Amino acid sequence: MIDPEELRTRARDLLEGGQVRAVIGYRRGSRGWAAEPVVITRPEEAQDLVWDPSCVHNLALYLVQDRRRRGALRESTDRPIGILAKGCDARAIVVLMQENYVQRDEVYIIGLSCESSGMLDERKLAGAAEGIDPQALEAVDFEGDAFVLSSQHQQWRLPAAGVMAERCLECRNPCPKVHDTLLGKEPREQERRGTASAPTMSDPFAELQRFEQTADSAAARWDFWSRQFDRCIRCFACRSVCPMCYCEECMVDSISFTVTPDTTAQEKANRLRWIERSASRSDNIGYHLTRALHLAGRCIDCGECERVCPVRIPLRLLNTKMERESRERFGYEPGASVEVAALLASFRDDDPNDFIR
Amino acid sequence: MAEDPKTPYEPRIVAFLCKWCSSAGSDLAGVSRIQYPANATPITVPCSGSVSPQYILTAFRKGADGVLVSGCHLGDCHYLEGNYLARRKLFLVKELLEFIGLEPERFRMSWVSAAEGAKFAQVITDFVADLRPLGPQDKLQGQRP
Ligand code: SF4
Ligand code: SF4
Ligand code: SF4
Ligand code: FES
């Protein structure tokens, strides 16, 4: 288990020694036990850093923001930015490097292994156990494969698997593969998954499999998805939170199209709008299928899009579907390596061909 | 929609045809006077690899009953790799469309060379036959104002 104090010392040393210009991490938020992302630049701020099961956010998003900000200010730098990275955050950073969005020497990755645990799913917690009022909690902590929840007067110890985020239950790489320094250990398979007779975690793609088993016809799937798509209000929270959605101009969102003082009214009117911003069923389908395809081979299943959706659209299903097909048919694993060619920029002679006439 | 045996539904197909092969193949079918249904609207593209998934989604969203993408045989692509890249990309499009519940028959790919007029006619004939019983595609289509 990672001692948060060790993490603070590591971050403080890096800032003090001038090896990094800032550290992206988590601190205690304004809402009780929940952590929030933070960027610290002074060594004394390192004492605010936390590491616990509420560190759900994918911090790679703030790496994207950092690059954007530096780009806008034309700010050059000779020092990397430090970033805490769980397994999933590190996979996201790998994709960003693979796509040349950030360079390896621009980041200093402080890897954090989730070991035999993962992150807390707040929605699961709400109904998890008698007598726990999530509002009254003051802290959540790791303890092996359990979470310890504390309020002012009481403590509960819950098996983590019962209240863990679904993506963490299915996670294959809780320990970052690419890092500059690592806290915590690579869990052994058995620590992570238990035994066949007493499994603690789910199989990868377990939720997708459950869905496919219940909705096993085109009609049943359409029945399910048309309801999901109808509910989407196109708030774009799923896109905003996704570290892989870094395009300056997003084809599903006409207000992101670049407008300069020189853009004429005619040019604006003539911009091709494949998908309107309106939350109609057809435009929503256009949005979600486009997004799923743009994330194929890039989504590293941090589950953030699904977590932030205000109307609970099961976005992970779309993304893990693409991920499973890519893995099974093309042998491609997103976020595994900086060197390998991107999924859709490469091919193999034995890619599936039997669907073609 | 139920099929009326007397006036079968005439599906509308959007066919993205590579100009180096399938488009020429469709011309050959024409000049050879091979009879095949006139349900397909051909759109000539530079290469099957240039077909963005967006073209396919948009065709469906504008009311196409079926979408065909047809390119050169593997190894014959004018740009060497275009059809290999298309195959991988459009496989995912196909999987995704099926995943959300579109009938699998509605999206199709074929390799048709400039010399294969008869094959082109067959592809379209089969496609129309498979689409007819499904009736109009109204899942992805937007409401017309
Ligand atoms: S998805 Fe994996 S790496 Fe990410 S928080 Fe969950 S267990 Fe950790
Ligand atoms: S977060 Fe949910 S409601 Fe908002 S755009 Fe995404 S799917 Fe739609
Ligand atoms: S699509 Fe969702 S799960 Fe995938 S990387 Fe983006 S936010 Fe994470
Ligand atoms: S040129 Fe015909 S498929 Fe590429």
Side-chain angles (χ1 to χ4, degrees):
Chain A
M1 243 160 44
I2 300 170
D3 178 2
E5 212 39 65
E6 201 186 336
L7 163 66
R8 291 172 197 132
T9 311
R10 202 72 61 99
R12 187 179 306 119
D13 290 351
L14 284 168
L15 285 166
E16 247 163 20
Q19 278 157 279
V20 298
R21 58 190 156 87
V23 173
I24 307 170
Y26 305 96
R27 70 172 168 205
R28 179 75 48 239
S30 51
R31 192 172 61 95
W33 52 278
E36 69 182 16
V38 63
V39 183
I40 59 169
T41 51
R42 290 177 294 126
E44 55 272 28
E45 290 174 298
Q47 68 189 37
D48 298 337
L49 295 180
V50 299
W51 169 243
D52 65 37
S54 72
C55 298
V56 286
H57 324 78
N58 188 337
L59 295 181
L61 178 66
Y62 298 91
L63 207 54
V64 172
Q65 281 192 2
D66 178 68
R67 189 195 125 146
R68 282 203 173 136
R69 188 186 55 81
R70 286 191 295 116
L73 300 174
R74 296 184 208 283
E75 186 183 291
S76 67
T77 170
D78 50 352
R79 283 181 303 158
I81 187 164
I83 181 169
L84 307 192
K86 312 184 287 291
C88 47
D89 307 48
R91 294 196 294 277
I93 299 169
V94 166
V95 177
L96 293 174
M97 295 192 298
Q98 187 187 17
E99 296 176 351
N100 266 310
Y101 192 78
V102 295
Q103 306 302 320
R104 182 67 187 90
D105 59 4
E106 291 174 337
V107 262
Y108 186 97
I109 303 171
I110 306 166
L112 298 171
S113 173
C114 294
E115 297 183 336
S116 51
S117 195
M119 294 298 133
L120 181 72
D121 182 331
E122 218 182 316
R123 286 165 176 165
K124 287 190 185 175
L125 180 64
E130 226 34 60
I132 301 182
D133 174 9
Q135 304 295 329
L137 292 181
E138 294 189 337
V140 294
D141 288 294
F142 296 112
E143 197 185 284
D145 57 6
F147 292 153
V148 176
L149 319 178
S150 324
S151 72
Q152 209 177 349
H153 306 292
Q154 238 181 316
Q155 264 201 350
W156 296 268
R157 192 174 181 281
L158 296 184
V163 283
M164 205 188 286
E166 215 59 40
R167 44 109 176 188
C168 296
L169 289 171
E170 296 179 12
C171 182
R172 288 170 204 263
N173 310 109
C175 183
K177 294 250 158 32
V178 176
H179 54 73
D180 295 288
T181 177
L182 179 70
L183 300 176
K185 287 191 293 293
E186 170 97 54
R188 277 176 290 121
E189 185 65 13
Q190 198 192 328
E191 284 169 344
R192 179 96 189 135
R193 305 222 164 263
T195 55
S197 54
T200 45
M201 302 281 176
S202 325
D203 289 335
F205 306 121
E207 192 161 36
L208 177 60
Q209 269 167 28
R210 282 196 293 276
F211 167 73
E212 287 179 334
Q213 273 154 19
T214 41
D216 58 355
S217 67
R221 286 194 298 275
W222 175 248
D223 187 50
F224 177 87
W225 282 112
S226 54
R227 287 182 209 199
Q228 309 300 327
F229 294 142
D230 282 351
R231 222 166 50 239
C232 173
I233 54 175
R234 293 295 284 287
C235 64
F236 292 121
C238 47
R239 184 196 57 178
S240 304
V241 81
C242 177
M244 262 61 252
C245 279
Y246 58 66
C247 300
E248 297 295 334
E249 291 197 352
C250 172
M251 70 187 298
V252 306
D253 177 8
S254 53
I255 64 166
S256 72
F257 296 169
T258 305
V259 177
T260 68
D262 300 330
T263 313
T264 63
Q266 195 185 14
E267 279 167 341
K268 286 187 209 168
N270 287 346
R271 276 294 308 247
L272 186 55
R273 280 188 270 168
W274 290 100
I275 297 157
E276 297 291 344
R277 284 175 54 91
S278 57
S280 72
R281 177 187 283 183
S282 178
D283 286 309
N284 287 351
I285 294 176
Y287 170 54
H288 286 292
L289 299 194
T290 300
R291 190 155 178 281
L293 289 162
H294 287 184
L295 286 160
R298 307 177 62 241
C299 166
I300 41 67
D301 197 20
C302 64
E304 281 292 271
C305 45
E306 184 166 304
R307 183 180 68 85
V308 300
C309 177
V311 293
R312 297 201 189 190
I313 295 178
L315 295 165
R316 270 191 75 236
L317 286 177
L318 293 170
N319 294 327
T320 50
K321 167 73 181 168
M322 293 291 92
E323 186 186 337
R324 195 187 61 195
E325 294 308 322
S326 310
R327 178 182 281 269
E328 289 179 357
R329 310 303 188 109
F330 309 128
Y332 189 87
E333 190 177 336
S337 155
V338 179
E339 278 79 34
V340 3
L343 173 73
L344 295 182
S346 54
F347 60 86
R348 298 194 300 202
D349 286 346
D350 59 355
D351 279 353
N353 193 65
D354 52 6
F355 70 105
I356 303 175
R357 286 163 197 251
Chain B
M1 194 176 281
E3 196 194 350
D4 179 348
K6 273 172 277 160
T7 53
Y9 180 69
E10 287 300 339
R12 288 176 298 178
I13 296 170
V14 175
F16 296 101
L17 309 179
C18 164
K19 80 167 188 182
W20 298 100
C21 51
S22 302
S23 186
S26 82
D27 284 347
L28 182 63
V31 296
S32 320
R33 298 178 175 275
I34 303 173
Q35 292 294 321
Y36 67 97
N39 300 51
T41 304
I43 297 179
T44 305
V45 293
C47 171
S48 64
S50 75
V51 175
S52 160
Q54 209 50 237
Y55 300 176
I56 298 161
L57 295 179
T58 302
F60 280 125
R61 293 184 50 228
K62 302 254 181 207
D65 297 309
V67 176
L68 171 74
V69 176
S70 191
C72 312
H73 286 275
L74 294 172
D76 291 347
C77 172
H78 201 75
Y79 310 97
L80 309 176
E81 307 187 332
N83 49 5
Y84 282 101
L85 293 165
R87 178 172 69 164
R88 188 171 264 212
K89 181 165 57 187
L90 301 186
F91 174 80
L92 292 176
V93 173
K94 175 185 100 70
E95 287 293 324
L96 191 59
L97 288 170
E98 287 182 34
F99 186 67
I100 65 150
L102 190 75
E103 298 86 349
E105 294 81 7
R106 293 201 186 271
F107 175 62
R108 197 156 283 189
M109 266 183 95
S110 61
W111 305 137
V112 173
S113 78
E116 293 177 317
K119 177 168 178 188
F120 183 80
Q122 195 59 48
V123 166
I124 299 293
T125 308
D126 293 348
F127 203 3
V128 171
D130 292 345
L131 287 172
R132 260 201 190 111
L134 298 179
Q137 184 279 118
D138 54 6
K139 289 178 174 161
L140 270 56
Q141 186 176 9
Q143 265 94 27
R144 297 281 164 91

